[in-house]
Amino acid sequence: VEVEHTRRMTLDAIRSIPDHSYQLCSQLFLKTLYDRHPYGHLAYGSLESVGALTQDMLRTLYASWMQPQRLVIGISGAMS
């Protein structure tokens, strides 16, 4: 349920880019500057990539990246 909700919201955000001049200009600038480099793509993904994601794909990715032995904790500021 949560995956489908997030997918709908993400797809709506991608579809709304042409309605917002700043977002559209940013997208075109990055695409022009970086071409096929990952920086040239939207952080959201594309309509195709978001539409193709499945819950099993997300579980597999999570299991491969979220491992306790990779945990790093950063602390900043006054500690007492």
Side-chain angles (χ1 to χ4, degrees), residues 29-44:
F29 174 75
L30 293 174
K31 179 78 174 154
T32 301
L33 185 63
Y34 293 109
D35 194 27
R36 286 181 270 166
H37 187 277
Y39 288 165
H41 300 285
L42 292 174
Y44 292 134

Side-chain angles (χ1 to χ4, degrees), residues 5-53:
H5 174 72
T6 303
R7 181 193 323 271
R8 280 192 306 274
M9 290 181 60
T10 303
L11 290 172
D12 287 345
I14 294 169
R15 286 186 192 110
S16 74
I17 289 173
D19 299 333
H20 300 92
S21 59
Y22 172 76
Q23 289 179 335
L24 182 59
C25 288
S26 294
Q27 178 188 12
L28 294 172
F29 174 75
L30 293 174
K31 179 78 174 154
T32 301
L33 185 63
Y34 293 109
D35 194 27
R36 286 181 270 166
H37 187 277
Y39 288 165
H41 300 285
L42 292 174
Y44 292 134
S46 66
L47 293 173
E48 296 81 20
S49 65
V50 174
L53 283 176

Side-chain angles (χ1 to χ4, degrees), residues 2 4 32 42 51 66 73-75:
E2 184 68 26
E4 288 306 315
T32 301
L42 292 174
M66 300 302 165
I73 298 175
I75 299 173

